[in-house]
């Protein structure tokens, strides 16, 4: 197979309940925050043991990370607790020899710094919203960065892609979020938009982007190979 690999997607989200089959059909055709809150330590109770129990079935540990958006994380105490949760998750992933799929919003530098401090090496930073200079610190550590279709309307994402080597990029949709339009539901089929914009920015072909991002994904998530053979 030589299709796209979506490095970060929420296909089980309720937005897809009514037409899940059609969404999957469209995705296959192209393959040729309500109630949310900051994570706290009590959320880990029982979860870490569950991850260990099913580690042989897991491709990665995630989505984990830091979200310091002001209206979402309102105090230093919340930020500190998020860091402690993140540290435990990183260390668990290292112990299980699994990559981490990382969220960082309004926390690009703290996220990269913490990953480096904790010795994480198998890292995907999805929809990174930090500065290219911070992202390059991650690139120096071998981290990967995945690019959503919102690149079509995001100068920050465009600057990021211009700076990060293709060898460190993956495609993602983050469906149902981060679509080509600010409002409206994103879908896995929009993965082609990410591919096309990376190609445009780097002045290469979409086939080259597709090939290299697929290779990158399989390098970071080697267990994916077993699923692709099915």
């Amino acid at each position: 197979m030589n299709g796209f690999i979506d490095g970060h997607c929420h296909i089980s989200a309720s937005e897809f309940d009514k037409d899940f089959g059609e969404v999957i059909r469209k995705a296959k055709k192209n393959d040729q925050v309500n109630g949310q809150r900051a994570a706290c330590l009590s959320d880990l109770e029982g979860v870490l043991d569950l991850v260990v129990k099913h580690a042989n079935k897991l491709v990665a540990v995630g989505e984990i990370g830091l979200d310091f958006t002001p209206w979402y994380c309102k105090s230093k105490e919340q930020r500190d607790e998020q860091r402690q949760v993140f540290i435990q998750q990183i260390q668990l992933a290292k112990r299980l020899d699994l990559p981490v799929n990382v969220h960082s919003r309004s926390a690009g530098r703290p996220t990269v710094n913490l990953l480096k401090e904790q010795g994480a090496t198998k890292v995907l930073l999805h929809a990174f919203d930090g500065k290219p200079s911070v992202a390059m610190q991650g690139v120096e550590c071998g981290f990967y960065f995945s690019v959503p279709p919102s690149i079509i309307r995001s100068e920050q994402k465009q600057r990021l892609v211009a700076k990060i080597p293709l060898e460190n990029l993956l495609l993602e949709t983050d469906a149902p979020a981060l679509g080509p339009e600010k409002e409206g539901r994103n879908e896995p089929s929009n993965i082609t938009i990410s591919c096309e914009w990376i190609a445009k920015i780097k002045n290469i072909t979409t086939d080259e982007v597709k090939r290299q991002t697929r290779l990158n994904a399989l390098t970071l998530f080697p267990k994916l190979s077993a699923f692709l053979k099915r």
Side-chain angles (χ1 to χ4, degrees), residues 175-192:
L178 299 185
E181 299 176 356
K182 191 170 184 178
E183 303 296 333
R185 186 183 71 176
N186 188 19
E187 295 188 8
S189 58
N190 287 328
I191 194 100
T192 56

Side-chain angles (χ1 to χ4, degrees), residues 96-226:
L96 299 175
D97 194 27
L98 287 171
V100 288
N101 195 322
V102 178
H103 169 104
S104 61
R105 186 161 56 182
S106 299
R109 190 179 298 277
T111 300
V112 170
N113 286 343
L114 189 58
L115 286 163
K116 290 168 62 178
E117 290 168 7
Q118 295 300 312
T121 57
K122 301 176 180 180
V123 175
L124 174 65
L125 286 141
H126 101 90
F128 190 71
D129 68 354
K131 295 179 180 180
S133 59
V134 176
M136 290 307 294
Q137 294 177 27
V139 169
E140 291 173 3
C141 296
F143 299 172
Y144 294 86
F145 294 79
S146 53
V147 182
S150 60
I151 187 175
I152 196 172
R153 54 183 172 83
S154 170
E155 291 184 5
Q156 180 268 337
K157 295 290 186 294
Q158 293 166 21
R159 290 193 298 270
L160 205 67
V161 164
K163 188 73 172 176
I164 297 175
L166 182 61
E167 290 74 18
N168 294 83
L169 291 177
L170 269 69
L171 306 177
E172 71 159 286
T173 59
D174 197 25
L178 299 185
E181 299 176 356
K182 191 170 184 178
E183 303 296 333
R185 186 183 71 176
N186 188 19
E187 295 188 8
S189 58
N190 287 328
I191 194 100
T192 56
I193 296 172
S194 300
C195 181
E196 289 163 1
W197 270 80
I198 293 173
K200 177 181 177 180
I201 292 169
K202 292 194 172 296
N203 195 28
I204 56 179
T205 67
T206 54
D207 282 345
E208 186 174 353
V209 174
K210 182 176 172 182
R211 180 193 62 79
Q212 186 63 52
T213 56
R214 179 184 176 84
L215 176 61
N216 296 344
L218 292 175
T219 299
L220 180 61
F221 305 120
K223 287 186 179 180
L224 282 179
S225 299

Side-chain angles (χ1 to χ4, degrees), residues 3-194:
F4 296 104
I5 291 180
D6 190 339
H8 190 99
C9 178
H10 301 275
I11 197 65
S12 61
S14 60
E15 285 89 343
F16 296 114
D17 285 351
K18 292 183 179 179
D19 61 344
F20 180 83
E22 175 63 13
V23 170
I24 294 297
R25 186 194 67 77
K26 288 172 65 177
K28 287 182 176 180
K29 184 178 179 181
N30 273 351
D31 193 7
Q32 298 202 51
V33 225
N34 294 329
Q36 293 186 349
R37 59 171 175 77
C40 56
L41 289 167
S42 62
D43 293 331
L44 293 178
E45 295 177 5
V47 175
L48 300 184
D49 290 340
L50 190 66
V51 171
V52 172
K53 180 178 179 181
H54 297 284
N56 64 321
K57 300 177 182 178
L58 301 180
V59 171
V61 173
E63 173 178 4
I64 62 177
L66 302 176
D67 194 322
F68 291 169
T69 311
W71 60 85
Y72 184 75
C73 184
K74 301 181 182 296
S75 68
K76 180 181 182 299
E77 289 73 22
Q78 285 185 325
R79 292 192 293 273
D80 289 343
E81 189 160 19
Q82 279 195 47
R83 288 189 181 94
Q84 292 306 311
V85 171
F86 193 22
I87 287 171
Q88 290 197 38
Q89 293 167 327
I90 293 170
Q91 291 304 320
L92 176 64
K94 286 177 61 180
R95 179 155 59 93
L96 299 175
D97 194 27
L98 287 171
V100 288
N101 195 322
V102 178
H103 169 104
S104 61
R105 186 161 56 182
S106 299
R109 190 179 298 277
T111 300
V112 170
N113 286 343
L114 189 58
L115 286 163
K116 290 168 62 178
E117 290 168 7
Q118 295 300 312
T121 57
K122 301 176 180 180
V123 175
L124 174 65
L125 286 141
H126 101 90
F128 190 71
D129 68 354
K131 295 179 180 180
S133 59
V134 176
M136 290 307 294
Q137 294 177 27
V139 169
E140 291 173 3
C141 296
F143 299 172
Y144 294 86
F145 294 79
S146 53
V147 182
S150 60
I151 187 175
I152 196 172
R153 54 183 172 83
S154 170
E155 291 184 5
Q156 180 268 337
K157 295 290 186 294
Q158 293 166 21
R159 290 193 298 270
L160 205 67
V161 164
K163 188 73 172 176
I164 297 175
L166 182 61
E167 290 74 18
N168 294 83
L169 291 177
L170 269 69
L171 306 177
E172 71 159 286
T173 59
D174 197 25
L178 299 185
E181 299 176 356
K182 191 170 184 178
E183 303 296 333
R185 186 183 71 176
N186 188 19
E187 295 188 8
S189 58
N190 287 328
I191 194 100
T192 56
I193 296 172
S194 300

